[in-house]
Amino acid sequence: ILSLAAVAALALIGASWFLYQNLPEVKAAKAEKLLAEVKNLRNGILELKEKGDIAGAIKLADNASLNPKYDEFKPEFFSQKINLMLSVSNVTEAASEIVNAWKGDRRLAEAAFGQVYVFYRDNADNAAVQAWCDKLLAIDPKLPTAQLGQIFGWKIISALRAGLLKDACGFAQ
Protein backbone atom coordinates (compact mmCIF):
# COMPACT_ATOMS: atom_id res chain seq x y z
CA ILE A 1 0.00 0.00 0.00
CA LEU A 2 1.28 3.42 -0.94
CA SER A 3 1.72 5.94 1.80
CA LEU A 4 -0.05 9.25 1.68
CA ALA A 5 3.28 10.94 0.94
CA ALA A 6 3.91 8.61 -2.04
CA VAL A 7 0.44 9.31 -3.44
CA ALA A 8 0.99 13.05 -3.02
CA ALA A 9 4.38 12.79 -4.74
CA LEU A 10 2.86 10.90 -7.67
CA ALA A 11 0.08 13.49 -7.96
CA LEU A 12 2.65 16.28 -7.91
CA ILE A 13 4.71 14.57 -10.62
CA GLY A 14 1.58 14.08 -12.77
CA ALA A 15 0.49 17.69 -12.32
CA SER A 16 3.99 18.93 -13.14
CA TRP A 17 4.08 16.82 -16.30
CA PHE A 18 0.66 18.15 -17.35
CA LEU A 19 1.74 21.74 -16.74
CA TYR A 20 4.99 21.18 -18.63
CA GLN A 21 3.17 19.70 -21.62
CA ASN A 22 0.89 22.74 -21.75
CA LEU A 23 3.58 25.42 -21.63
CA PRO A 24 3.29 27.62 -24.74
CA GLU A 25 6.87 26.88 -25.82
CA VAL A 26 6.31 23.10 -25.49
CA LYS A 27 3.08 23.33 -27.47
CA ALA A 28 4.84 25.44 -30.12
CA ALA A 29 7.68 22.91 -30.38
CA LYS A 30 5.18 20.05 -30.81
CA ALA A 31 3.29 22.00 -33.50
CA GLU A 32 6.56 22.79 -35.28
CA LYS A 33 7.56 19.11 -35.20
CA LEU A 34 4.16 18.08 -36.57
CA LEU A 35 4.37 20.62 -39.40
CA ALA A 36 7.86 19.35 -40.28
CA GLU A 37 6.50 15.78 -40.45
CA VAL A 38 3.61 16.90 -42.66
CA LYS A 39 6.02 18.77 -44.93
CA ASN A 40 8.14 15.61 -45.22
CA LEU A 41 5.04 13.59 -46.11
CA ARG A 42 4.03 16.15 -48.75
CA ASN A 43 7.53 16.04 -50.22
CA GLY A 44 7.55 12.25 -50.12
CA ILE A 45 4.26 12.07 -52.01
CA LEU A 46 5.54 14.54 -54.60
CA GLU A 47 8.85 12.68 -55.03
CA LEU A 48 7.07 9.36 -55.55
CA LYS A 49 4.74 10.97 -58.10
CA GLU A 50 7.66 12.54 -59.96
CA LYS A 51 9.41 9.14 -60.07
CA GLY A 52 6.27 7.64 -61.58
CA ASP A 53 5.47 5.58 -58.49
CA ILE A 54 1.83 6.65 -58.33
CA ALA A 55 0.82 3.56 -56.34
CA GLY A 56 3.47 4.39 -53.73
CA ALA A 57 2.37 8.02 -53.61
CA ILE A 58 -1.28 6.96 -53.17
CA LYS A 59 -0.30 4.57 -50.38
CA LEU A 60 1.72 7.26 -48.60
CA ALA A 61 -1.13 9.79 -48.88
CA ASP A 62 -3.65 7.17 -47.73
CA ASN A 63 -1.53 6.13 -44.74
CA ALA A 64 -1.08 9.77 -43.75
CA SER A 65 -4.83 10.40 -43.99
CA LEU A 66 -5.53 7.37 -41.78
CA ASN A 67 -3.04 8.37 -39.08
CA PRO A 68 -4.88 10.11 -36.21
CA LYS A 69 -1.75 12.16 -35.56
CA TYR A 70 -2.41 14.04 -38.82
CA ASP A 71 -6.17 14.47 -38.37
CA GLU A 72 -5.95 18.21 -39.01
CA PHE A 73 -4.33 17.47 -42.39
CA LYS A 74 -6.50 14.47 -43.29
CA PRO A 75 -8.57 16.38 -45.91
CA GLU A 76 -5.40 17.51 -47.68
CA PHE A 77 -3.96 13.99 -47.82
CA PHE A 78 -7.31 12.59 -48.99
CA SER A 79 -7.48 15.21 -51.74
CA GLN A 80 -3.94 14.33 -52.82
CA LYS A 81 -4.87 10.65 -52.94
CA ILE A 82 -7.89 11.39 -55.16
CA ASN A 83 -5.79 13.61 -57.42
CA LEU A 84 -3.21 10.85 -57.78
CA MET A 85 -5.89 8.26 -58.59
CA LEU A 86 -7.28 10.52 -61.27
CA SER A 87 -3.80 11.13 -62.69
CA VAL A 88 -3.78 7.46 -63.72
CA SER A 89 -7.45 7.53 -64.79
CA ASN A 90 -8.61 5.49 -61.81
CA VAL A 91 -11.81 7.50 -61.79
CA THR A 92 -14.13 4.71 -60.63
CA GLU A 93 -12.24 4.14 -57.38
CA ALA A 94 -11.70 7.87 -56.84
CA ALA A 95 -15.43 8.54 -57.29
CA SER A 96 -16.28 5.70 -54.90
CA GLU A 97 -13.90 7.11 -52.27
CA ILE A 98 -15.55 10.53 -52.55
CA VAL A 99 -19.08 9.14 -52.28
CA ASN A 100 -18.06 7.12 -49.22
CA ALA A 101 -16.47 10.22 -47.71
CA TRP A 102 -19.75 12.14 -48.12
CA LYS A 103 -21.40 9.39 -46.09
CA GLY A 104 -18.64 9.43 -43.47
CA ASP A 105 -16.14 12.25 -42.94
CA ARG A 106 -17.52 15.11 -45.01
CA ARG A 107 -14.34 17.13 -44.53
CA LEU A 108 -12.64 14.70 -46.89
CA ALA A 109 -15.35 14.87 -49.52
CA GLU A 110 -15.36 18.66 -49.41
CA ALA A 111 -11.58 18.72 -49.93
CA ALA A 112 -11.88 16.60 -53.09
CA PHE A 113 -15.33 17.78 -54.16
CA GLY A 114 -14.72 18.99 -57.72
CA GLN A 115 -11.91 16.66 -58.78
CA VAL A 116 -13.99 13.96 -60.50
CA TYR A 117 -16.07 16.59 -62.27
CA VAL A 118 -12.90 18.31 -63.54
CA PHE A 119 -11.54 14.95 -64.74
CA TYR A 120 -14.67 14.26 -66.78
CA ARG A 121 -14.93 17.86 -68.00
CA ASP A 122 -11.31 17.92 -69.13
CA ASN A 123 -11.93 14.69 -71.03
CA ALA A 124 -15.07 16.20 -72.62
CA ASP A 125 -17.15 13.34 -71.24
CA ASN A 126 -20.48 15.10 -70.75
CA ALA A 127 -22.38 11.84 -70.22
CA ALA A 128 -20.00 10.93 -67.39
CA VAL A 129 -20.49 14.40 -65.85
CA GLN A 130 -24.25 13.83 -65.88
CA ALA A 131 -23.88 10.37 -64.31
CA TRP A 132 -21.45 11.69 -61.67
CA CYS A 133 -23.82 14.51 -60.77
CA ASP A 134 -26.74 12.08 -60.51
CA LYS A 135 -24.65 9.87 -58.20
CA LEU A 136 -23.84 12.86 -55.98
CA LEU A 137 -27.47 13.98 -55.91
CA ALA A 138 -28.53 10.51 -54.79
CA ILE A 139 -26.33 10.58 -51.67
CA ASP A 140 -28.29 10.37 -48.46
CA PRO A 141 -28.16 12.41 -46.34
CA LYS A 142 -28.32 15.22 -48.84
CA LEU A 143 -25.24 17.27 -49.58
CA PRO A 144 -24.94 20.84 -48.30
CA THR A 145 -26.77 23.51 -50.30
CA ALA A 146 -23.56 25.03 -51.69
CA GLN A 147 -22.51 21.72 -53.21
CA LEU A 148 -26.01 21.01 -54.53
CA GLY A 149 -26.00 24.33 -56.38
CA GLN A 150 -22.62 23.57 -57.87
CA ILE A 151 -23.75 20.11 -58.98
CA PHE A 152 -26.80 21.54 -60.74
CA GLY A 153 -24.50 24.05 -62.43
CA TRP A 154 -22.27 21.21 -63.64
CA LYS A 155 -25.31 19.38 -65.01
CA ILE A 156 -26.48 22.45 -66.92
CA ILE A 157 -23.03 23.24 -68.34
CA SER A 158 -22.41 19.66 -69.44
CA ALA A 159 -25.89 19.49 -71.01
CA LEU A 160 -25.13 22.68 -72.92
CA ARG A 161 -21.79 21.30 -74.07
CA ALA A 162 -23.44 18.09 -75.19
CA GLY A 163 -26.07 20.05 -77.10
CA LEU A 164 -28.85 18.69 -74.92
CA LEU A 165 -30.21 22.13 -74.08
CA LYS A 166 -31.10 24.94 -76.43
CA ASP A 167 -28.72 27.76 -75.67
CA ALA A 168 -30.77 30.94 -75.44
CA CYS A 169 -27.90 32.95 -73.91
CA GLY A 170 -25.10 32.22 -76.36
CA PHE A 171 -22.98 30.16 -73.94
CA ALA A 172 -22.89 26.86 -75.79
CA GLN A 173 -19.63 25.91 -77.42
Side-chain angles (χ1 to χ4, degrees):
I1 298 176
L2 292 175
S3 69
L4 185 56
V7 171
L10 287 174
L12 183 59
I13 291 169
S16 297
W17 180 252
F18 176 79
L19 291 173
Y20 171 77
Q21 291 295 316
N22 287 295
L23 288 172
E25 56 271 16
V26 172
K27 281 185 170 183
K30 286 180 181 179
E32 190 173 308
K33 181 181 177 200
L34 180 66
L35 289 175
E37 289 176 22
V38 169
K39 181 179 179 183
N40 286 337
L41 285 166
R42 288 175 183 144
N43 289 339
I45 292 166
L46 183 61
E47 286 173 17
L48 289 169
K49 181 181 178 184
E50 288 174 351
K51 290 178 182 175
D53 185 3
I54 302 300
I58 289 171
K59 184 174 182 177
L60 185 56
D62 193 40
N63 288 342
S65 74
L66 295 173
N67 187 334
K69 181 179 184 178
Y70 306 119
D71 187 64
E72 179 182 349
F73 302 94
K74 190 173 185 173
E76 173 189 342
F77 290 126
F78 179 79
S79 179
Q80 285 180 318
K81 179 175 87 168
I82 298 300
N83 188 10
L84 289 161
M85 291 171 143
L86 295 172
S87 75
V88 291
S89 299
N90 192 353
V91 68
T92 303
E93 188 177 348
S96 178
E97 292 262 353
I98 292 170
V99 168
N100 290 334
W102 277 116
K103 296 175 182 177
D105 188 345
R106 289 182 163 218
R107 298 175 310 151
L108 306 183
E110 289 171 354
F113 178 62
Q115 291 184 22
V116 170
Y117 163 73
V118 169
F119 176 85
Y120 287 136
R121 183 203 63 202
D122 289 352
N123 286 289
D125 192 342
N126 294 307
V129 169
Q130 292 291 323
W132 174 237
C133 291
D134 291 342
K135 185 179 276 192
L136 290 172
L137 292 171
I139 292 174
D140 188 38
K142 294 294 180 204
L143 302 183
T145 304
Q147 278 80 13
L148 290 174
Q150 196 164 3
I151 292 166
F152 285 118
W154 294 343
K155 284 183 72 70
I156 291 168
I157 290 168
S158 68
L160 285 170
R161 287 186 175 144
L164 300 175
L165 296 177
K166 179 97 173 140
D167 183 17
C169 301
F171 295 125
Q173 295 186 14

